[in-house]
């Protein structure tokens, strides 16, 4: 697939950055980015003034206490709504630090937090962003099932699990039909085309180099024609795929 890891999409990466406030430190450029993130309701509340307040401190990074002090000590009438919004976020995130919960409970707490701060509100999302949000919620649903294999966790252990889940989840939003489609090999094998152009292919990628499983007997893997174990099998597979592509654009 040509999709990206889910944590690489701005809607998800901004959320992860926001949740890192629980851990206690953000670089100045990260804090500025959050203040003007389009997915945060408070970013529409005079972000320019908040950004100037941050930069005037001349810090390379900020701890949670420094961020809270900045919000409390530098309230100006023009930025009052934005300051109140981010102050409420900090208070909500502080509560996470003291909890120990099962995976499904953490999913509920995070879902409640996202709704409470109106993160990535549906009314502001474009189609691909809406699909990204749905994919994020799908991964949260998957994490709820981890109760079967995990015990109660503190926030930091659960957040590590959450980040790994997102990093290992490939996602590609659906787009409207257009004359040119860019896709991976296995996606293309089931579609009819007027013409196909293959790019980025060389003798190291197609057929792929063998990479036998080190935990299984090599002879058994070769005998059963297991994936990535036999160069002859990989070559035959590529020949079949190439023949199929030729038929699809004939």
């Amino acid at each position: 697939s040509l999709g990206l890891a889910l944590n690489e999409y701005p809607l998800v990466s901004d959320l992860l950055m926001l949740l890192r406030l629980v851990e206690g430190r953000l670089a100045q450029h990260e804090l500025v980015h959050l203040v003007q993130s389009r997915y945060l309701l408070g970013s529409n509340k005079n972000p320019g003034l908040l950004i100037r307040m941050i930069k005037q401190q001349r810090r390379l990074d900020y701890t949670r206490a420094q961020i809270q002090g900045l919000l409390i000590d530098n309230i100006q009438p023009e930025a009052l709504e934005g300051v109140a919004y981010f102050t409420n976020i900090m208070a909500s995130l502080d509560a996470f630090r003291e909890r120990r919960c099962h995976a499904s409970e953490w999913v509920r707490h995070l879902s409640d937090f996202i709704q409470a701060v109106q993160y990535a509100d549906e009314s502001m999302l474009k189609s691909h962003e809406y699909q990204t949000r749905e994919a994020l919620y799908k991964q949260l649903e998957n994490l709820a099932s981890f109760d079967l294999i995990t015990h109660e966790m503190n926030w930091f252990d659960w957040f590590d699990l959450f980040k790994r889940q997102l990093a290992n989840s490939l996602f590609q939003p659906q787009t409207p039909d257009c004359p040119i489609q860019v896709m991976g090999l296995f996606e293309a094998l089931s579609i009819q085309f007027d013409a196909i152009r293959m790019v980025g292919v060389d003798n190291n990628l197609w057929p792929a180099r063998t990479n036998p499983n080190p935990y299984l007997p090599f002879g058994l893997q070769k005998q059963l024609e297991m994936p990535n174990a036999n160069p002859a099998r990989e070559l035959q597979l590529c020949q079949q795929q190439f023949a199929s592509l030729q038929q699809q654009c004939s």
Side-chain angles (χ1 to χ4, degrees):
S1 172
L2 294 180
L4 300 174
L6 197 52
N7 64 349
E8 295 184 42
Y9 289 88
L11 184 147
V12 178
S13 62
D14 281 12
L15 176 62
L16 293 176
M17 190 182 298
L18 180 66
L19 295 175
R20 281 177 47 212
L21 286 171
V22 180
E23 298 176 351
R25 187 178 294 273
L26 285 181
Q28 185 193 81
H29 72 273
E30 293 176 319
L31 187 56
V32 168
H33 177 83
L34 273 183
V35 167
Q36 57 190 356
S37 170
R38 68 181 301 270
Y39 304 114
L40 285 167
L41 180 66
S43 64
N44 299 320
K45 310 300 183 184
N46 207 336
L49 183 55
L50 287 173
I51 290 170
R52 287 197 297 273
M53 289 162 52
I54 294 169
K55 291 185 175 180
Q56 284 172 358
Q57 302 295 312
R58 300 183 181 278
R59 299 181 186 274
L60 292 178
D61 53 24
Y62 286 81
T63 64
R64 289 169 54 255
Q66 288 167 341
I67 295 172
Q68 289 170 327
L70 176 71
L71 295 172
I72 294 171
D73 298 337
N74 294 276
I75 295 179
Q76 300 183 35
E78 303 92 323
L80 190 59
E81 286 187 78
V83 168
Y85 177 77
F86 285 103
T87 300
N88 289 334
I89 284 179
M90 295 292 293
S92 298
L93 294 177
D94 281 346
F96 288 170
R97 295 176 62 88
E98 308 303 325
R99 288 178 173 149
R100 289 188 64 85
C101 302
H102 290 290
S104 60
E105 294 176 290
W106 277 122
V107 168
R108 179 170 54 82
H109 289 315
L110 181 55
S111 299
D112 290 345
F113 169 77
I114 291 173
Q115 293 181 8
V117 303
Q118 295 180 277
Y119 182 83
D121 187 70
E122 183 176 334
S123 62
M124 69 172 66
L125 299 181
K126 300 177 182 177
S127 173
H128 68 279
E129 293 172 322
Y130 179 82
Q131 294 177 60
T132 304
R133 193 185 72 157
E134 292 300 299
L136 170 65
Y137 280 124
K138 179 64 175 177
Q139 292 307 317
L140 283 173
E141 290 178 10
N142 292 339
L143 278 175
S145 66
F146 277 47
D147 284 357
L148 299 173
I149 57 174
T150 60
H151 300 289
E152 285 188 346
M153 294 175 281
N154 61 28
W155 164 260
F156 305 101
D157 291 338
W158 186 84
F159 189 47
D160 284 341
L161 180 64
F162 182 42
K163 289 187 292 185
R164 290 198 302 271
Q165 182 82 357
L166 297 176
N168 293 329
S169 303
L170 290 180
F171 172 69
Q172 186 175 15
Q174 293 183 350
T175 55
D177 291 337
C178 60
I180 299 177
Q181 297 285 331
V182 181
M183 57 184 62
L185 174 63
F186 291 102
E187 295 165 312
L189 284 173
S190 60
I191 304 176
Q192 290 291 326
F193 296 96
D194 295 325
I196 295 177
R197 174 172 291 184
M198 299 183 66
V199 297
V201 176
D202 58 32
N203 61 338
N204 291 319
L205 294 175
W206 207 57
R209 291 184 176 182
T210 55
N211 184 26
N213 189 318
Y215 300 105
L216 297 175
F218 175 68
L220 179 64
Q221 294 182 62
K222 192 171 182 179
Q223 177 185 348
L224 297 178
E225 296 188 346
M226 296 179 67
N228 303 316
N230 188 341
R233 176 193 178 279
E234 299 303 316
L235 176 60
Q236 181 182 19
L237 179 62
C238 286
Q239 290 171 334
Q240 293 172 347
Q241 291 170 340
F242 187 68
S244 177
L245 291 173
Q246 286 180 307
Q247 293 177 357
Q248 289 170 227
C249 61
S250 58

